[in-house]
Amino acid sequence: MFEPIEALDAYNKNINILIGSGASADLFPTLALEIKDEKGNWETIEKLATKFEKHHEKHTALFMHYYSSCIYPVQTFTPFGIKDAKGLANLKNYEVFLTTLLGLLDRRKDLNRKINIFTTNYDGCLTHSADNILLTGSHDFVVNDGTSGFHKKHLHAKNFNTFQCQTGIFERTNYGIPQLNIIHLHGSVYWSKSGEKIEIKYTNDSKNLLNPKTIGKIKKFSAFLGTKGGTTPNIPVVSFTRQQMDRFWSEYDKLPIVNPTKWKFHETVFEEHYYQMLRLLSYELEKPNSILITFGFSFADEHILKLIQRSLSNPQLQTFICCYSQSSAEAMKEEFKQWKNVKVIAPPDGVKMDFTNFNKYVFSLKPETYAPPEADL
């Protein structure tokens, strides 16, 4: 049985959402792989990156695979070109999710009516979906991505503390416009360095860092990682010259994203913003009457994990961790067992908490009651 979050009881609190790659799993590949290690545990790109850190050719091949399969599809993503039914449903789920948040804000009477959405994803699904809702005219709200400017939009942490309000004709009344703060903790493919600032351009015209010859070279390597039955010791070896590896890393290190190994930016300007956003997350969780809801997030980022655990010393913070499976829920219960203000929400046995089930049974203004399908007689 799915356990719903009483959204209508939370609307007047400081709501914070943390979403990870699981939210976009039907649009973009995650860090999960189809092979296992010697002990039978599933491998991930994070685990392999740590294991291959001193093996330069394997390390380079792995990150070429990561760029080709996980990053470049995000860089070239356009919501208008999706033909796949699962991808379309995934985007629709984002809209349903944002509509739920806007429904909560519609009930709030405060002048400052905002919800913070923290995400570790590099994609623009949140902003694309918010745009679609705005186009329908069904809700009046503001999307705050932390930027200011007109022809050039620059990112700054202080912009998340602003909000807009409307006044009556004679300025005798004030009305706070509902606002969704979208905060990318691990960077975004739409970021670029502009002097000592971060510029945001919502375009999808990125050039592939890998030429066709290199893509062909790692084809067997990538296929092995994505095929069930393989084990870590049998990963194919890919040979590169020192020049080929240096050329790749010089371009890769310019990407405005956190690496899946040390969770660290290479550019100082991105690194500084990363820590500013972590401080913002910490600050929001330490406020009175705060709520944190996580979905599609594995807590692999130890910086975020430890930050949230420290914030749980705030007795007025209630945290809901929504897990994809019962096994991941058990792991989260163990990780957060000493905090009473944490509720781990697991799906029923044999069912996965995908975005559809999350929206339908867990986080909704009117959550449905899950009814297991009847067994075939």
Side-chain angles (χ1 to χ4, degrees):
M1 184 70 68
F2 285 100
E3 187 173 359
I5 299 170
E6 299 299 332
L8 290 178
D9 292 339
Y11 77 92
N12 219 19
K13 297 185 178 181
N14 176 36
I15 301 174
N16 300 277
I17 311 290
L18 174 59
I19 63 175
S21 59
S24 300
D26 287 327
L27 284 166
F28 311 111
T30 66
L31 299 180
L33 300 174
E34 294 294 336
I35 65 171
K36 295 183 178 181
D37 62 17
E38 299 91 325
K39 297 180 180 179
N41 300 312
W42 289 105
E43 287 284 18
T44 66
I45 289 175
E46 300 136 296
K47 292 179 182 178
L48 286 184
T50 301
K51 292 176 181 179
F52 293 164
E53 202 162 11
K54 295 182 179 178
H55 302 276
H56 300 305
E57 289 185 328
K58 283 186 176 181
H59 193 249
T60 300
L62 179 68
F63 273 83
M64 285 180 174
H65 163 79
Y66 172 57
Y67 172 79
S68 180
S69 62
C70 297
I71 300 176
Y72 188 63
V74 177
Q75 288 181 316
T76 54
F77 168 73
T78 172
F80 310 108
I82 299 176
K83 306 293 186 200
D84 177 63
K86 286 187 175 181
L88 290 170
N90 200 156
L91 272 184
K92 185 62 180 178
N93 273 318
Y94 268 105
E95 291 186 33
V96 172
F97 167 65
L98 293 182
T99 302
T100 298
L101 296 181
L102 293 170
L104 297 179
L105 288 177
D106 285 342
R107 289 164 170 78
R108 193 181 293 180
K109 304 302 180 184
D110 294 347
L111 187 62
N112 186 357
R113 305 161 73 197
K114 67 179 176 64
I115 288 176
N116 299 310
I117 309 174
F118 296 90
T119 176
T120 54
N121 297 343
Y122 312 140
D123 63 60
C125 290
L126 286 166
T127 48
H128 286 308
S129 300
D131 257 355
N132 283 343
I133 297 172
L134 285 168
L135 285 171
T136 67
S138 59
H139 290 81
D140 178 25
F141 68 101
V142 172
V143 179
N144 184 358
D145 60 358
T147 61
S148 58
F150 187 66
H151 290 295
K152 285 192 174 184
K153 297 171 69 69
H154 291 119
L155 180 65
H156 200 287
K158 67 180 181 181
N159 293 328
F160 290 113
N161 297 320
T162 64
F163 65 94
Q164 294 183 25
C165 65
Q166 291 178 336
T167 62
I169 296 174
F170 300 106
E171 298 185 1
R172 291 175 182 170
T173 58
N174 289 320
Y175 167 78
I177 303 175
Q179 176 172 300
L180 300 176
N181 284 344
I182 298 178
I183 303 154
H184 287 272
L185 293 174
H186 281 177
S188 167
V189 295
Y190 303 111
W191 292 6
S192 61
K193 186 180 177 184
S194 176
E196 293 305 310
K197 296 181 179 180
I198 299 174
E199 185 177 351
I200 293 186
K201 293 181 182 178
Y202 290 104
T203 58
N204 61 337
D205 53 359
S206 298
K207 182 182 177 182
N208 197 327
L209 299 186
L210 306 179
N211 59 43
K213 184 177 180 181
T214 304
I215 293 172
K217 202 168 188 177
I218 64 167
K219 187 175 181 179
K220 185 178 178 182
F221 180 92
S222 294
F224 185 87
L225 298 182
T227 304
K228 288 183 178 180
T231 58
T232 309
N234 294 322
I235 293 176
V237 176
V238 185
S239 298
F240 298 104
T241 65
R242 170 57 63 181
Q243 185 181 21
Q244 288 172 327
M245 290 190 289
D246 289 346
R247 190 186 306 120
F248 168 74
W249 286 111
S250 67
E251 293 301 316
Y252 180 86
D253 288 344
K254 296 175 184 176
L255 295 175
I257 57 176
V258 175
N259 268 322
T261 43
K262 297 181 179 178
W263 308 104
K264 185 177 180 181
F265 286 102
H266 284 268
E267 287 283 358
T268 303
V269 65
F270 299 132
E271 183 84 0
E272 288 175 353
H273 183 76
Y274 172 55
Y275 286 110
Q276 287 175 349
M277 293 302 91
L278 289 181
R279 282 193 291 270
L280 176 61
L281 174 59
S282 176
Y283 173 70
E284 291 294 336
L285 298 185
E286 289 165 10
K287 288 182 177 180
N289 297 318
S290 290
I291 286 180
L292 172 66
I293 300 169
T294 75
F295 169 70
F297 185 69
S298 66
F299 286 93
D301 184 329
E302 290 195 4
H303 286 155
I304 296 177
L305 170 63
K306 300 303 179 186
L307 182 153
I308 290 174
Q309 289 177 334
R310 287 194 300 269
S311 299
L312 288 168
S313 61
N314 174 11
Q316 295 191 53
L317 168 65
Q318 180 64 51
T319 295
F320 300 91
I321 299 175
C322 303
C323 299
Y324 180 69
S325 63
Q326 287 206 344
S327 60
S328 60
E330 290 303 316
M332 288 298 102
K333 287 177 182 177
E334 180 65 24
E335 188 68 62
F336 290 93
K337 62 183 178 182
Q338 69 183 84
W339 290 279
K340 295 182 179 179
N341 50 343
V342 174
K343 180 175 285 188
V344 176
I345 300 177
D349 190 26
V351 179
K352 303 301 182 184
M353 191 186 295
D354 56 17
F355 214 158
T356 299
N357 288 337
F358 174 76
N359 281 333
K360 185 182 291 186
Y361 305 116
V362 179
F363 189 62
S364 171
L365 299 180
K366 294 181 179 180
E368 298 180 22
T369 300
Y370 176 74
E374 296 181 5
D376 294 331
L377 297 177

